[in-house]
Amino acid sequence: MVLPCLVVLFVGCSSPSTSHELYFLKVDLVDFPNVDHLFPRGLGELDGVDASAIAHEGNIAADDVASTVHGHTGQAASEVTSAVHNTIQSEVDKLKSQIPQYYSVGLWSYCKSEHASKVTCSNPRLKFAFDLSSMLGSVGPGMDQLLEKINEATISGFRHISHAIITLYLSGLVATVLAVALGIQKAFYDRGHRLLSICSPLSAALIVAATAMVTIVYGLLVTEVNSKLKEIGIKAVLGSRMFGTAWLAVFLSIASSITWLISLWCCCI
């Protein structure tokens, strides 16, 4: 039963046809960028937004209001503000059309949801690490400036640990396959006791280490994103099904290892 769990971990977010609920991390960008947060800062920081169009619209609105509303300063200011805000909202909506609605991150690949519910996924890679700054930076050169609050040291460490997690899970998968093969050999030919006593505990140790690391890393990443980027409309959640599968693999691998060791030890008495 350990093998199916490991297969699910490797399959998650590897293809648009896989379940959309199989992810370690989901970054929700539906509310990004948050116009209420960006309005006081100025959208000129974003290369994807036409700041000149906003300024031009503001000037036109100011001239129109000034020519039609005499002596009503408060009303004029209100209408200018409303016109500029509407223009900003229009520019933000244009920018949102270029940004995926969400990113789903798996073990060694990710998927993104475009508008009209189109889902595309990256190819699985052994050196995979999800980098939100790079993803948004590809949309526009100014986008990554909004993510400057995320500690670069945290992201850099996350990349290296992600590579280690993939290696551990892959090694655990190989060790589990060998343990299953040796278990079948022992059942039919009564051979492979020594190798089985090595492969079974080894696979359990690798899976436990990988799962503990992936839980800690993504837990810290979710906390980092929600605490520093929620105000601009970026939210992150952990995938309960993927983590449930990972920890089920841990439980089953430990149980299987203990069972095999007891069986081998009892046979040697």
Side-chain angles (χ1 to χ4, degrees):
M1 290 298 292
V2 180
L3 276 178
C5 291
L6 293 178
V7 170
V8 168
L9 296 183
F10 280 94
V11 167
C13 294
S14 62
S15 169
S17 60
T18 59
S19 174
H20 296 168
E21 298 298 322
L22 291 176
Y23 56 82
F24 281 124
L25 172 71
K26 184 175 183 178
V27 180
D28 188 343
L29 301 173
V30 173
D31 297 326
F32 173 77
N34 186 344
V35 65
D36 294 330
H37 174 74
L38 294 177
F39 182 73
R41 293 179 58 182
L43 287 177
E45 298 179 8
L46 299 178
D47 292 353
V49 174
D50 189 352
S52 62
I54 296 174
H56 179 65
E57 183 67 23
N59 291 332
I60 292 176
D63 292 340
D64 290 344
V65 171
S67 62
T68 56
V69 182
H70 300 284
H72 300 282
T73 306
Q75 181 181 354
S78 176
E79 293 191 21
V80 169
T81 301
S82 177
V84 173
H85 191 278
N86 290 339
T87 305
I88 290 176
Q89 184 64 60
S90 176
E91 291 295 323
V92 168
D93 290 341
K94 186 190 303 181
L95 187 61
K96 283 185 175 183
S97 67
Q98 305 174 38
I99 301 173
Q101 292 181 324
Y102 66 80
Y103 285 104
S104 297
V105 186
L107 177 61
W108 59 349
S109 57
Y110 72 90
C111 294
K112 61 181 179 180
S113 173
E114 307 287 357
H115 294 272
S117 301
K118 178 184 177 182
V119 177
T120 58
C121 300
S122 65
N123 294 322
R125 293 185 294 114
L126 292 176
K127 294 296 184 180
F128 169 76
F130 181 74
D131 189 338
L132 183 59
S133 297
S134 297
M135 300 297 176
L136 293 180
S138 63
V139 176
M143 296 296 292
D144 54 354
Q145 296 174 9
L146 295 175
L147 308 183
E148 58 190 12
K149 291 184 178 181
I150 291 186
N151 191 336
E152 180 59 31
T154 301
I155 299 299
S156 179
F158 169 70
R159 294 191 192 103
H160 290 92
I161 296 176
S162 293
H163 300 164
I165 290 171
I166 295 172
T167 301
L168 286 172
Y169 268 124
L170 190 59
S171 301
L173 178 63
V174 173
T176 302
V177 171
L178 289 175
V180 171
L182 291 169
I184 294 175
Q185 185 182 46
K186 177 185 177 298
F188 288 96
Y189 304 104
D190 197 25
R191 292 185 299 180
H193 300 73
R194 184 171 299 179
L195 285 176
L196 181 57
S197 65
I198 295 173
C199 288
S200 186
L202 178 61
S203 67
L206 291 169
I207 294 170
V208 169
T211 304
M213 289 174 64
V214 78
T215 302
I216 294 172
V217 167
Y218 281 111
L220 291 175
L221 190 59
V222 164
T223 301
E224 184 88 358
V225 170
N226 288 335
S227 63
K228 297 183 178 180
L229 300 180
K230 195 171 184 178
E231 62 180 4
I232 61 175
I234 299 179
K235 296 171 288 186
V237 294
L238 296 175
S240 58
R241 292 189 181 181
M242 197 74 149
F243 278 103
T245 302
W247 282 104
L248 179 60
V250 167
F251 172 77
L252 292 175
S253 64
I254 292 175
S256 176
S257 179
I258 293 174
T259 301
W260 280 119
L261 289 176
I262 292 175
S263 175
L264 294 171
W265 182 74
C266 290
C267 290
C268 294
I269 296 179

